[in-house]
Amino acid sequence: IYGIRKKSRLYVHLSRDIETANIVASRHGSKPVILEIDTVNMIKDGYLFYLSENNVWLTDIIPVKYFKIDGRFNQKIQNI
């Protein structure tokens, strides 16, 4: 179970809010899939986040247990 990995990029890129996420996604020409991430618990669990000069949040990985699905954070997601 991986979640979101950076793969060949330096970091996983995150938007601060849904509006920004939609703007960024529209630049790529596809219908966006927007996930809410439990960053509070990620930080508590020791994951690091960095704020880039252009206000993009960066991290190395987002495990699936931090994905918010249907209004709640789901610990039972097996793979996306």
Side-chain angles (χ1 to χ4, degrees), residues 14-58:
L14 300 157
S15 299
R16 174 179 220 90
D17 53 50
I18 292 173
E19 180 181 350
T20 304
N22 274 311
I23 291 168
V24 172
S26 70
R27 286 188 252 170
H28 298 284
S30 61
K31 184 176 179 180
V33 174
I34 298 174
L35 300 171
E36 186 173 351
I37 306 299
D38 184 2
T39 54
V40 171
N41 279 315
M42 283 186 70
I43 291 167
K44 286 180 184 176
D45 291 344
Y47 291 91
L48 299 176
F49 289 86
Y50 313 95
L51 184 59
S52 71
E53 290 181 10
N54 60 342
N55 291 317
V56 174
W57 284 98
L58 309 169

